[in-house]
Amino acid sequence: MRVFVTGASGWLGSAVVPELLDAGHQVTGLARSDASAAALTGAGAEVVRGTVDDLDVLRAAAAASDGVVHLAFKHDIAFSGDFRGAAEADRRAVDAFGEVLAGSDRPLVIASGLLGLAPGRVVTERDVPAVDGSPTSVRQATALATLELAGRGVRSAVVRLAPTCHGEGDNGFMAALVGIARERGVSGYVGDGANRWPAAHRLDVGRLFRLAVEKAPAGSVLHGAGEEGVAIRDVAEVIGRRLGVPVVSVPPADAAGHFTWLGGFIGLDSPASSTATRELLDWWPSHPGLLEDLDKGHYFGPAA
């Protein structure tokens, strides 16, 4: 297959692209910079220059492909105060792909999120997210719209990703927690720290996207969770031991002040099952779990 990938040189894209290439597929990646284009060329992919705002570029690339993997998201503006703007740009891109792929039975696989879908209980692939008009629910509405494309002849699938897709080179939530602990001199968790986050190694996630492109039925909801739930207190203990700093409980009222932009997320209890995904696609995560990966040390070097 010829697969068009947005976000192809990013954290997940750089795992998805080699996975597709190694399986014998051809890949065309969207690149918005010379550095991204060079990385894709070096990996063996073809390059289309543009951004997720260039809808005509997206339509043309999708029309020339046998399937689309949409990973790009404007994280830069999403986590600096304009999540709604990032989510609305994401929706426009998905709508553009839907226009081109309608009636073709070609795959469209997009990334979405697991964190906060059903706080306090284990969320499954059958759970439908609430859409209440909030900025974060705009992205959930995009996921639902993607699934609805199955009724228009698109083999659509949504991969709900764990909040931490960890691995060497990660600059996401785990790296942020390490940075906060280093700066504050303590490794913190909220309350009793028993709240759980699902987790997945980025290489396992790369394989999941490849399997989804190859054989996910139309309208599939897939969970990129290698682990159902890792207690944040356990994460804090590994970080504290690695940095040689005390491990402390942070009162919920102080979470925003201590964890800054992570304050609204770090206390969520949001476990997630991936049983149905594993059985449907024969996806069995094989790379290290979150605590083992943290304990390898690569999150704690000078570059981190």
Side-chain angles (χ1 to χ4, degrees):
M1 296 172 61
R2 176 179 289 274
V3 184
F4 175 55
V5 182
T6 71
S9 63
W11 175 238
L12 290 182
S14 59
V16 172
V17 168
E19 181 73 29
L20 289 167
L21 291 169
D22 289 346
H25 301 295
Q26 296 174 285
V27 175
T28 301
L30 184 70
R32 62 178 180 176
S33 70
D34 292 341
S36 294
L40 289 172
T41 300
E46 298 178 18
V47 174
V48 170
R49 294 299 296 263
T51 73
V52 290
D53 292 319
D54 297 323
L55 300 184
D56 287 341
V57 172
L58 301 186
R59 292 187 187 97
S65 301
D66 300 311
V68 174
V69 174
H70 177 47
L71 303 173
F73 191 75
K74 292 184 170 183
H75 291 99
D76 53 344
I77 67 170
F79 292 112
S80 62
D82 190 14
F83 193 96
R84 181 180 295 276
E88 289 175 346
D90 187 52
R91 177 59 181 270
R92 290 191 292 270
V94 168
D95 287 345
F97 290 136
E99 293 171 18
V100 173
L101 299 177
S104 69
D105 196 36
R106 286 179 284 173
L108 169 61
V109 183
I110 77 160
S112 190
L114 282 169
L115 190 62
L117 282 185
R121 67 173 177 84
V122 178
V123 67
T124 75
E125 291 88 343
R126 294 183 179 180
D127 282 298
V128 179
V131 178
D132 57 12
S134 65
T136 53
S137 75
V138 175
R139 194 175 192 191
Q140 297 300 341
T142 298
L144 295 176
T146 301
L147 298 177
E148 291 172 359
L149 289 171
R152 295 175 53 197
V154 180
R155 187 159 61 82
S156 58
V158 173
V159 179
R160 294 173 177 167
L161 293 169
T164 176
C165 294
H166 55 88
E168 187 166 1
D170 177 18
N171 286 312
F173 285 148
M174 290 302 111
L177 283 176
V178 171
I180 291 168
R182 182 177 276 133
E183 179 182 345
R184 303 288 190 190
V186 296
S187 179
Y189 54 86
V190 175
D192 64 4
N195 63 294
R196 300 152 293 171
W197 277 15
H201 196 283
R202 66 185 285 264
L203 297 180
D204 287 321
V205 171
R207 186 165 71 256
L208 176 56
F209 273 95
R210 191 258 297 171
L211 292 171
V213 167
E214 292 176 342
K215 58 182 182 180
S220 294
V221 174
L222 308 169
H223 280 188
E227 295 176 280
E228 184 174 285
V230 180
I232 297 300
R233 181 180 58 241
D234 293 340
V235 171
E237 287 175 351
V238 175
I239 293 173
R241 175 165 48 79
R242 276 287 180 172
L243 292 179
V245 300
V247 179
V248 302
S249 171
V250 176
D254 297 335
H258 182 91
F259 294 103
T260 64
W261 64 274
L262 262 174
F265 306 103
I266 194 62
L268 289 175
D269 184 42
S270 192
S273 168
S274 61
T275 299
T277 298
R278 298 175 191 227
E279 294 175 351
L280 178 67
L281 296 182
D282 196 26
W283 177 65
W284 305 104
S286 59
H287 290 86
L290 175 57
L291 298 181
E292 180 184 352
D293 199 20
L294 274 172
D295 219 6
K296 288 180 178 293
H298 53 78
Y299 279 92
F300 304 96

